[in-house]
Amino acid sequence: MEQSYLIKPMLDGSYPVIDYGKGVYLYDKNGKKYLDAASGAVTANIGHGEKEIIKAMEEQAQKVSFVYRSQFTSEAAEKLAKKIAKLLPGDLNWSFFVNSGSEATETAMKMAIQYWQEKGITTKNKILSRWVSYHGITLGALSMSGHPGRRARFVPLLEEFPVIHPPYCYRCPYHLEAPACQYLCARELETAINRIGADKIAAFIAEPVIGAAGGAISPPKDYLKVIKEICDDHDILFIADEVMTGAGRTGAMLASEHWGVIPDIVALGKGLGAGYAPIAAAVASDKIIEPILAGSKVVMSGHTLSANPQSCAVALAVLEYLEKNQIMRTVESKGEFLRKELEKLKSQFWFIGDVRGMGLLLGIEFVEDQTSRRPFPRNAQVTQRMVELAKEKGLIVYPAGAGIDGVNGDSIIISPPLTITEVEMNELIYLLKEAFSVFSKEINLSE
């Protein structure tokens, strides 16, 4: 095999070379077809090879692909910011465009701290977060992430921002059920605030539906409202990390909308550009921008390719495509269909402990025992094996963490393009069942 100098996830790993994509499918150089039930990394929201987006890319490239944000603005960036202001709820009107979700959450963190500085309050510089969470791989974003595995190598460089349990009903730390639990996992935030001091806390950040760290953990009905009320009561900003959940993934522009919660700052990414170009955004409310506009007039952040016109033109075309084709209207019904089919698989395979999620962001948690909910031992590497088996069958699923400690537990995410059809969903379930059948035989042979 010819020597490769590309740093891949596993340096010595063997990865198929993708030739092209069409709709929900990817095709490698050997002609093998894969149903992309992960949308890559919960990113390809409208599928692959969409001609309207390719046309928008070409038209922008004919004009200009790069201008530097401190020297010029562009029509593409201005139009995209205006479109986002129109689509997002409340007064979430101000977009700072960056290149990745990690940059978006880190920019949101900086915005929150600067907001208080511009108001003359310099002590509020901590950002609280939850365990079993993931907000990105840059050091600021990783400091906010309650993902022990990804934090481990860099702990000396990180802040200790994760402080409370996630809304993990399948593994409730209090062994209670919502709403009788009184949302104790949310009320932990008040305790943490009292211990640390509200005068030291700028914001609290959370994923409305927990992605890579928890395998699509969706909170109970009033959880997010309780969180927002606690933040408001203590004069603390609420940042919604909607990098994975935003841009239609749950059937709304923001997952927060399902619970009637409007954040102070939102991080968008992934589906914003739908994989056609790298782009993400930190979107601030009028409340956040007003003191900055009256003060320094500068949001202290930025990257060379921030507000890149090529990427902005792509994101604008993606949002227009979602609107024109009314894609978001079908997401909840598609999600319900898939979830019912996954529940059927749960009744057939003893190692499926939980099926959860919202819209087309669904998770499956694997357990060694359904009754006790005991996870598989770590060295069994069940998540990795499930991903491998699915890929062998021509199905791409997304690996995720699980377990209340964020260390022990296995899950995968099922998150196909929002454009998936019922025929394709049935194919997805068939291929997943095939992969589970192989795993079941392997487990029985090893016992």
Side-chain angles (χ1 to χ4, degrees):
M1 183 184 289
E2 187 179 344
Q3 173 68 49
S4 170
Y5 296 98
L6 177 65
I7 297 177
K8 302 180 181 71
M10 290 298 293
L11 285 173
D12 60 352
S14 178
Y15 298 83
V17 179
I18 289 299
D19 191 24
Y20 66 97
K22 185 66 180 171
V24 301
Y25 299 103
L26 293 165
Y27 300 83
D28 71 19
K29 283 285 188 180
N30 296 320
K32 183 173 179 177
K33 180 175 79 170
Y34 304 84
L35 198 164
D36 188 4
S39 296
V42 198
T43 300
N45 279 14
I46 61 172
H48 304 278
E50 178 50 55
K51 290 179 180 177
E52 284 185 38
I53 313 303
I54 295 166
K55 182 183 176 186
M57 295 170 77
E58 184 180 1
E59 287 175 355
Q60 185 61 44
Q62 293 287 348
K63 296 176 182 176
V64 63
S65 289
F66 171 74
V67 293
Y68 187 43
R69 65 183 289 272
S70 70
Q71 298 163 343
F72 300 98
T73 186
S74 70
E75 188 178 26
E78 295 287 350
K79 283 185 173 180
L80 177 59
K82 196 170 184 178
K83 174 65 73 176
I84 290 172
K86 175 192 166 191
L87 292 175
L88 264 54
D91 64 348
L92 287 162
N93 292 325
W94 298 80
S95 289
F96 194 118
F97 295 120
V98 291
N99 312 296
S100 70
S102 299
E103 292 173 20
T105 59
E106 196 149 325
T107 299
M109 173 183 74
K110 291 173 181 174
M111 279 180 169
I113 293 168
Q114 186 179 342
Y115 165 79
W116 295 111
Q117 291 173 343
E118 299 279 359
K119 289 168 69 73
I121 302 170
T122 58
T123 58
K124 290 170 81 71
N125 48 38
K126 289 184 180 294
I127 311 291
L128 301 191
S129 64
R130 305 180 298 201
W131 287 105
V132 189
S133 68
Y134 183 58
H135 301 292
I137 203 67
T138 54
L139 290 179
L142 198 55
S143 284
M144 296 186 287
S145 300
H147 195 310
R150 295 186 184 181
R151 289 176 64 95
R153 291 182 184 273
F154 311 106
V155 166
L157 303 175
L158 303 178
E159 296 285 348
E160 296 181 355
F161 288 156
V163 292
I164 67 172
H165 283 108
Y168 195 173
C169 293
Y170 180 65
R171 296 188 183 279
C172 175
Y174 297 101
H175 306 288
L176 297 170
E177 290 187 9
C181 64
Q182 300 285 306
Y183 304 104
L184 289 174
C185 59
R187 299 190 190 283
E188 286 180 21
L189 179 58
E190 191 141 37
T191 304
I193 291 167
N194 290 334
R195 284 174 179 159
I196 295 164
D199 61 322
K200 297 181 180 67
I201 303 163
F204 175 75
I205 186 170
E207 303 158 272
V209 179
I210 300 169
I217 294 172
S218 185
K221 183 173 174 283
D222 290 323
Y223 170 87
L224 216 58
K225 282 186 177 179
V226 173
I227 287 289
K228 185 65 166 66
E229 286 168 6
I230 292 170
C231 288
D232 290 346
D233 289 347
H234 292 275
D235 219 10
I236 290 167
L237 303 176
F238 175 54
I239 302 170
D241 178 353
E242 300 251 11
V243 170
M244 190 174 280
T245 52
R249 177 50 60 182
T250 65
M253 263 304 286
L254 300 180
S256 313
E257 293 181 69
H258 294 290
W259 298 285
V261 171
I262 301 176
D264 297 296
I265 307 172
V266 167
L268 294 174
K270 292 186 182 289
L272 182 61
Y276 287 88
I279 188 166
V283 187
S285 61
D286 290 348
K287 167 187 169 178
I288 300 300
I289 294 298
E290 280 165 6
I292 301 174
L293 197 57
S296 69
K297 303 185 189 303
V298 176
V299 173
M300 185 46 65
S301 190
H303 304 269
T304 301
L305 294 172
S306 288
N308 174 263
Q310 189 69 54
S311 291
C312 288
V314 166
L316 180 62
V318 168
L319 294 180
E320 288 175 343
Y321 182 93
L322 287 171
E323 274 191 303
K324 184 179 72 175
N325 295 287
Q326 300 183 329
I327 302 296
M328 282 186 268
R329 289 190 180 185
T330 66
V331 168
E332 289 190 62
S333 61
K334 288 177 180 178
E336 286 170 12
F337 176 87
L338 263 184
R339 186 163 182 161
K340 283 177 184 175
E341 294 302 312
L342 294 175
E343 289 286 359
K344 290 177 188 175
L345 293 182
K346 180 183 173 183
S347 67
Q348 296 171 48
F349 296 99
W350 58 266
F351 48 80
I352 297 177
D354 193 32
V355 173
R356 54 183 178 245
M358 175 175 281
L360 285 172
L361 181 60
L362 300 171
I364 304 172
E365 181 167 343
F366 304 110
V367 292
E368 195 171 45
D369 182 80
Q370 274 188 341
T371 305
S372 68
R373 304 182 181 183
R374 183 177 65 248
F376 283 96
R378 269 273 43 82
N379 61 7
Q381 296 187 309
V382 169
T383 299
Q384 183 181 334
R385 186 58 184 148
M386 289 296 190
V387 171
E388 289 170 354
L389 288 172
K391 196 171 183 180
E392 287 171 13
K393 297 293 180 183
L395 182 71
I396 306 300
V397 296
Y398 193 71
I404 198 68
D405 58 6
V407 176
N408 297 289
D410 295 278
S411 70
I412 58 171
I413 288 174
I414 306 296
S415 53
L418 310 182
T419 51
I420 193 168
T421 65
E422 187 171 330
V423 170
E424 291 162 346
M425 286 192 287
N426 282 321
E427 183 185 356
L428 186 164
I429 294 297
Y430 172 79
L431 293 171
L432 194 59
K433 185 176 180 180
E434 289 281 291
F436 287 167
S437 296
V438 175
F439 179 79
S440 184
K441 289 173 185 174
E442 288 181 351
I443 286 290
N444 289 334
L445 286 172
S446 66
E447 289 179 347

